[in-house]
Structures are given as structure tokens and as C-alpha cells.
Amino acid sequence: MHLFFKPQLRTQISLAEQKLKVAVRECARKRRERESKRNALQEVVASNPQLRKRLKVRERTGRPRLEDDQPLLLQTIIKIAQAHGGADARRRSEAMQLCRTLDDLVAELRAGGFTISRSAAYLRLLPRRANAGDGPRHVTTVPVKLVKAQTSEHRRHMDTEFALATVRQVECVVSMLGQGQAFFLSQDDKARVPLGITAANKQAPLLMHMEYKVTLADHDFAVAPAHKLIPSVYAACSIKAGVLGDERAVSYSGPTYIAIRSGKHSSSTAASHAVDFNTIYTLAEFREFVRDKDGAPKPVVAISVDGGPDEAPRHRAVLVEAVRHFRKLELDALFVVANAPGRSAYNRVERRMAPLSKELSGLVLPHDFFGSHLDASKRTTDDRLEQANFGAAAMILADVWSDLVIDGHPVVAEYVPEPTPGSDDGEHHDDDGGEEDAVSAAWLADHVRQSQYLLQIVKCPNRLCCDQLRSNLASVLPQRFLPPPVKVAHNSDGLLTVSDPASAEGNFPNLLAMTALNIPNKPSVYDFFCPSVQNDLEARTCDFCGLYFPSITAKKEHIKELHGRAFVDAEEIDDTLVHNFVNPPDPSPDVPLIANVNEWLATPFVEDQ
């Protein structure tokens, strides 16, 4: 059998060899043909790039990358990451917001006309960790990476509930008076805007769930110390009609005023805020909010601040400026209220920050508009030129923000130059001179109540001192001043006052509920339920008239000016007086020598036996 099939097998092998030779020659021929066509095509498309793009002629073999057909893909991802560069929409964190997740990024890219899958978009971002298992797959990336959701927002303070109850009381009063009698203003200083670098990237390099890696070029840095602008933002808030007693009547909408100052030549102080407050009353955009139908200033003003050193209602400088406003505008009442530390992001003005920050995306403010005022060591060589450059940069920023319209209301931004010595711009008042001297301790005791988070200035009933009220404030606050917030809770016996101010039990009723409740033994000290000042309540309360003050220093000044120096407690006498008593100086001929302090302070009257 094997010998029988041997000739036939040889014939098959011979035929197969012939076919193989033909196939090898055909393969070589087709290879030469392809190379010839490729070379001819390369010669044609080399002189015509549009033809290369239309024919999709590629320089290398294999599956092409998405960037080849969509060359703007990576730049668009960066642009999306930078888009709203500056602030979270609700200002609850130092984050920008546009793409919160990878799905949001893919949706934005597809909406822009790009064809890309979810995994392809992820591989074009930086890996989450340097040792990530899929790290080698991230070959061509942009400086953007996904991060986990941030849960650490503004820290919680022990006074949060108490301060919030104070804010709610002020808002309740404003809501009952309405837009016709009350003006609500929310103010804050925005993060400083640097000169010479991209403003948005400098202020907040984070997205909500996406982080933007900032890479600065050699020239992309702050050109010199303090080369920044200070924008002070003031947001007027409209008051909804027909919502009596509800703090939600105070809306987030209204015109915005921004005063831009040089960070090197000026500063944000109580006096500068006072100047801006006076400016607001001259702006046509704010007329509807600050003046009544007759053109007079509205009788009740409420100002919400963030509690900074230049705005905190417990500080003396703020009191001085508030008294000036109260007397100049002939107000019925002026309230300055602040949130607890770390909670200023809930101030209404923060809602205006997101659109303002958006306009800073990609904006670079020049520091040498009129020529450089710096030498090689970044030291100022020409003060006049420096101020002119700061002014030019500030006016550019003011022009950008003045074109904005937020929620249908205008934005007014302007540059406020450094005050010249002797100019009457309101920023040169001293705490110990000027108009303030006319305000006595007795006047302050009758008209002012100052506490940790609230400043109240209200007209007194004495018509020889104050005019008749122009608002319905007496109906809203029959006792003139806001009552101290009281923490109450429920138990089996009904309502009871919580004894521990720091306890998580109970809550603070609003102003209307406080008025309706008959709570026995209501505290007379406004900060009685403020946890952070429990140890200072007695030391801040006057022993003679019972008034409470935001500091021991303020109480001492009150006692000294109103009750006389002899009533100062011996424990409050400073070291200098003690030293003088122990080591008395040489007496003046006109000053009698006191040999015994107790005998000198003793009453000259004796009781009948």
C-alpha cells in the first residue's frame, strides 16, 4: 500500500511547491505595489495637508489615537477643568464646580461634539495615585485628576447655633418691617486678586471632585510682595413682601457693589467699610433698596458680616462707625450681625462670589501698565508709578465685573484709590477724636447693646434726644432691643429651659415663638446661652447698671465714664495704679497726699446711733 501511493504523493508535493513559489512572488509584488502607492500618496499629501486630512492618511500604522481625529480633545478637558474658575456655587468649600464626576466630564465632552468613551476619558487624566495599577495606561494625559469627594467643609464652632439664632432674629425683624422700611446688606472681602498671574488658578485650584494641577511658567508668579487687589463686596438683598416673620423673606437677589483697593497701599478696615457704606447711598442702582419713596434713608438697616477683625460687631472700631451711620442717616435702628467663626460661607454675599470668580478665569492683571516700577530685585523704585499701575489694574478688574448682571441685578465695581493725607474721605477718623467725642457713655448705655455676635443701636423714647420713629419697629420690638436667645426643649412636663448652653439638647425658637412663649426667668444678658463666653459673663456685666459688654475693657471704660472712677473694683485696678499706691510719687503742691486709701474712700456720713 505504501509503495502504491508513493508516486501520487510526490506529485502533490510538487504541485504544492509550485503554488508556494507563486504565492511568494505574488506577495513580493503586492508589497512593492503597496509601497509604490504609499510613496506616491505621501508625495501628493505632503504638499496638500487638507488632502491628507480628508483621506485620513496617517504617518504610522495601528489603531489611531482619539487625539488624531479630535485634536482639541485634551485642550477641551483642561478648559472644562478651568471653566468656572474660582468658587463653589454655594460657597460651601474652597472648590470650583463644573464637573463633579467622570460622567459629568464625559457628558460635557460629548455635548461639545467629541466622541469618547468613559474609560478613554479617564485614561487621559492623571492617575489617582502614583502606584495605581492602571497607571502605565495613562500615557498622554492632561494636568487634571479625579479625587475623592471632599467632606471637610467649614469647621463647626460651638457658637454655631447661638450665632445662627441671632442672625435669624435680625432677619425676622427685617421680614416684618418689609422692603419699604428696612434695608438688608451683606458684606465681605473677597480673596485677594494677585497681579501678574492667572487670578482664578491662584485663588482656587480645585474642582468639586476634580483637581486641576497648576503648572506655572517662569514668569507666572506674584511679581512682588503685596502686589494684590482687595475687593470688598457688598450685596443688597431684597425683602419679599407678604412673608411676615419668616427669615426666608430676605432673599439672595439684589445689586452688588465692589470697592477695589490696593493691597499694598490700603487695607480693609472698619473705616474703609464705612466709606463704602456711604458710597452705596449715592449709587442710583441702590436707590430702591436704601431709600424710601420720599428719598429719605430707610429707617432700619441690618448688616450681615463675616466676623472678621474689621467687621466683627463686638469691636470698638465697628461700634464707632455704626454710631456715625446711625446718627447721620437718622435711623430708627441699626443691626450688625455676624455668624460664628468658620461659618461665614453661609453669609448671603457668598452667593455673589461664584459669578465674580468665573470672570477671573484666565484673567491676568498687568502690574506694569504704565511701565515697570520695580528693579531687578523686585523693589519699588517709583511710588507714584506704582500707585498708577495698581490703579490701572484695579480699573481693568472693575470694568470686567461691572459688565456682570447677577440674577437680573447690576454689579457696580470701582477702584478706590489710597486716601491722601488730610482728605475728608471718612478713613481718617481716630477712635479718640472727631465726632465720636460727642457720644457719651450715657448715650451709649441708652441706645447701644453690644454682644459677641450682634450690635444693636436703637432710638430711645426721650424726644429731647431722638426723633419719633419712622418705622413700625415699636410694634415689632416693644422692648426696643432684641431679646436674648433662649434654648428650650420638650420633656414629659412640657417646655423647659436648657440649663447647659453647650448641650445638644433643645433648640433656639425664632423671635415670634420667643414672644409667644412665657419662659420664666428669662436671662437679661444677651450672650447668656453663648457657649464660648460662659466664663466671662460675670466679668463683662456692669455691677451697677447690669449692662453687658462684649469685652472686659469695654466694661471698664463704661464704669469709668458713667459711674465714676471710685466705683472701679479693686481687682480691676491696673498694675500702674497699684505700683503708685505702693510707691507713691512725689506729690504736687496742688494735689493732697493720701495717706490711707480706705479712709479716703470711706463715706463722710455716719449713721445715727
Side-chain angles (χ1 to χ4, degrees):
M1 293 295 294
H2 177 69
L3 295 176
F4 178 77
F5 286 100
K6 188 175 182 180
Q8 185 177 4
L9 182 59
R10 289 178 177 176
T11 303
Q12 293 177 354
I13 294 175
S14 177
L15 293 175
E17 290 177 347
Q18 292 178 4
K19 291 181 178 180
L20 179 59
K21 292 179 181 179
V22 172
V24 170
R25 290 196 300 269
E26 185 67 15
C27 180
R29 185 187 66 79
K30 290 183 177 180
R31 184 184 300 109
R32 292 192 299 270
E33 181 180 1
R34 288 195 301 272
E35 292 179 355
S36 177
K37 290 182 178 180
R38 186 183 303 110
N39 294 335
L41 183 60
Q42 291 292 344
E43 292 178 0
V44 173
V45 299
S47 58
N48 193 341
Q50 295 296 331
L51 182 61
R52 176 190 291 272
K53 183 177 180 180
R54 184 173 182 181
L55 296 178
K56 297 183 180 180
V57 178
R58 310 185 187 278
E59 297 180 355
R60 59 180 183 273
T61 59
R63 182 178 179 179
R65 296 185 57 82
L66 294 178
E67 293 83 353
D68 294 344
D69 294 333
Q70 304 174 103
L72 299 179
L73 176 62
L74 300 181
Q75 292 88 335
T76 304
I77 294 178
I78 296 177
K79 186 176 180 180
I80 291 176
Q82 288 181 304
H84 290 217
D88 175 7
R90 301 186 67 187
R91 294 288 293 180
R92 300 296 175 87
S93 64
E94 294 181 359
M96 296 184 289
Q97 68 87 34
L98 181 60
C99 293
R100 293 186 173 90
T101 62
L102 181 62
D103 293 330
D104 292 340
L105 175 61
V106 175
E108 288 290 333
L109 290 173
R110 290 177 178 174
F114 294 93
T115 302
I116 190 172
S117 64
R118 191 174 184 272
S119 59
Y122 175 69
L123 292 177
R124 279 154 180 81
L125 307 177
L126 294 176
R128 293 183 179 179
R129 301 184 306 276
N131 58 350
D134 58 353
R137 300 181 62 190
H138 296 256
V139 179
T140 303
T141 62
V142 294
V144 175
K145 71 176 181 180
L146 293 173
V147 296
K148 293 183 179 179
Q150 301 293 328
T151 57
S152 59
E153 297 186 357
H154 288 77
R155 66 184 185 274
R156 186 171 182 83
H157 193 269
M158 65 174 65
D159 295 341
T160 296
E161 294 183 5
F162 175 81
L164 181 60
T166 301
V167 174
R168 293 289 183 261
Q169 283 194 353
V170 175
E171 293 172 344
C172 182
V173 171
V174 170
S175 68
M176 287 189 284
L177 294 176
Q179 181 82 15
Q181 296 184 350
F183 168 45
F184 191 95
L185 180 70
S186 179
Q187 73 180 44
D188 191 11
D189 289 332
K190 194 185 184 300
R192 297 197 174 194
V193 181
L195 304 184
I197 64 177
T198 306
N201 289 346
K202 180 65 178 179
Q203 291 175 39
L206 297 177
L207 280 84
M208 184 68 71
H209 286 193
M210 184 175 292
E211 183 182 60
Y212 182 74
K213 180 181 178 183
V214 181
T215 55
L216 302 179
D218 291 339
H219 65 280
D220 200 3
F221 52 84
V223 293
H227 271 54
K228 297 179 181 180
L229 301 175
I230 307 176
S232 298
V233 184
Y234 303 85
C237 300
S238 60
I239 304 171
K240 300 177 183 178
V243 191
L244 299 179
D246 192 344
E247 60 271 6
R248 290 174 294 183
V250 183
S251 70
Y252 290 85
S253 301
T256 306
Y257 172 68
I258 308 174
I260 306 174
R261 290 179 171 85
S262 166
K264 185 174 182 180
H265 308 96
S266 302
S267 59
S268 179
T269 63
S272 66
H273 289 307
V275 172
D276 299 337
F277 184 83
N278 293 330
T279 302
I280 288 175
Y281 276 80
T282 65
L283 299 176
E285 293 81 359
F286 282 78
R287 180 179 177 82
E288 170 187 356
F289 289 80
V290 301
R291 299 187 181 276
D292 57 20
K293 59 182 180 180
D294 298 327
K298 292 184 178 179
V300 176
V301 174
I303 305 176
S304 174
V305 298
D306 64 353
D310 56 336
E311 301 170 332
R314 66 182 181 274
H315 290 168
R316 177 176 174 80
V318 176
L319 170 62
V320 170
E321 300 299 343
V323 169
R324 288 197 180 102
H325 294 322
F326 177 82
R327 303 180 74 179
K328 177 181 178 180
L329 300 176
E330 299 180 354
L331 301 177
D332 288 353
L334 174 62
F335 302 97
V336 181
V337 63
N339 275 295
R343 312 299 290 180
S344 61
Y346 296 92
N347 202 355
R348 280 174 165 76
V349 70
E350 302 295 341
R351 297 292 183 92
R352 315 284 174 93
M353 298 302 188
L356 296 178
S357 298
K358 178 182 177 181
E359 298 302 313
L360 299 181
S361 179
L363 177 65
V364 178
L365 299 175
H367 74 283
D368 53 356
F369 188 85
F370 295 106
S372 180
H373 55 272
L374 302 171
D375 58 13
S377 300
K378 305 302 180 184
R379 291 175 299 191
T380 301
T381 59
D382 190 333
D383 293 334
R384 286 181 172 271
L385 181 60
E386 182 181 53
Q387 294 186 25
N389 284 331
F390 268 91
M395 286 188 284
I396 293 175
L397 181 60
D399 290 340
V400 172
W401 278 338
S402 295
D403 292 336
L404 278 177
V405 175
I406 302 177
D407 199 14
H409 295 277
V411 175
V412 181
E414 65 178 4
Y415 167 57
V416 181
E418 177 192 13
T420 57
S423 62
D424 187 14
D425 58 359
E427 294 192 16
H428 63 281
H429 298 293
D430 297 328
D431 288 348
D432 298 326
E435 182 183 350
E436 171 192 1
D437 292 338
V439 181
S440 63
W443 190 94
L444 294 176
D446 290 339
H447 299 79
V448 177
R449 296 294 182 269
Q450 198 173 8
S451 53
Q452 189 74 4
Y453 299 104
L454 176 64
L455 169 61
Q456 309 177 68
I457 308 177
V458 183
K459 279 183 177 179
C460 70
N462 184 3
R463 291 295 162 257
L464 299 177
C465 176
C466 297
D467 296 334
Q468 187 74 26
L469 294 178
R470 296 187 289 123
S471 65
N472 301 115
L473 186 65
S475 301
V476 178
L477 295 176
Q479 68 278 21
R480 290 180 59 209
F481 297 101
L482 289 171
V486 178
K487 204 170 189 179
V488 298
H490 290 90
N491 66 355
S492 57
D493 298 330
L495 287 174
L496 65 107
T497 304
V498 178
S499 58
D500 184 8
S503 173
E505 181 184 7
N507 54 22
F508 292 98
N510 59 26
L511 181 61
L512 296 181
M514 281 288 299
T515 305
L517 292 175
N518 185 18
I519 300 177
N521 301 322
K522 292 182 180 180
S524 59
V525 175
Y526 191 90
D527 286 344
F528 185 84
F529 278 90
C530 183
S532 65
V533 299
Q534 290 302 301
N535 297 330
D536 302 326
L537 291 179
E538 184 177 356
R540 294 181 178 183
T541 305
C542 179
D543 298 329
F544 305 100
C545 61
L547 288 181
Y548 173 77
F549 297 88
S551 66
I552 298 177
T553 302
K555 170 195 166 183
K556 290 181 180 180
E557 294 179 355
H558 163 78
I559 295 178
K560 177 181 176 180
E561 297 178 17
L562 188 61
H563 302 295
R565 190 181 190 88
F567 292 104
V568 179
D569 194 344
E571 295 180 357
E572 299 179 359
I573 300 177
D574 58 22
D575 296 338
T576 303
L577 292 177
V578 173
H579 178 270
N580 291 338
F581 284 136
V582 177
N583 302 300
D586 295 335
S588 172
D590 299 329
V591 179
L593 178 63
I594 300 175
N596 190 306
V597 177
N598 293 328
E599 293 180 359
W600 179 71
L601 292 177
T603 175
F605 302 99
V606 295
E607 297 181 359
D608 295 335
Q609 299 296 330

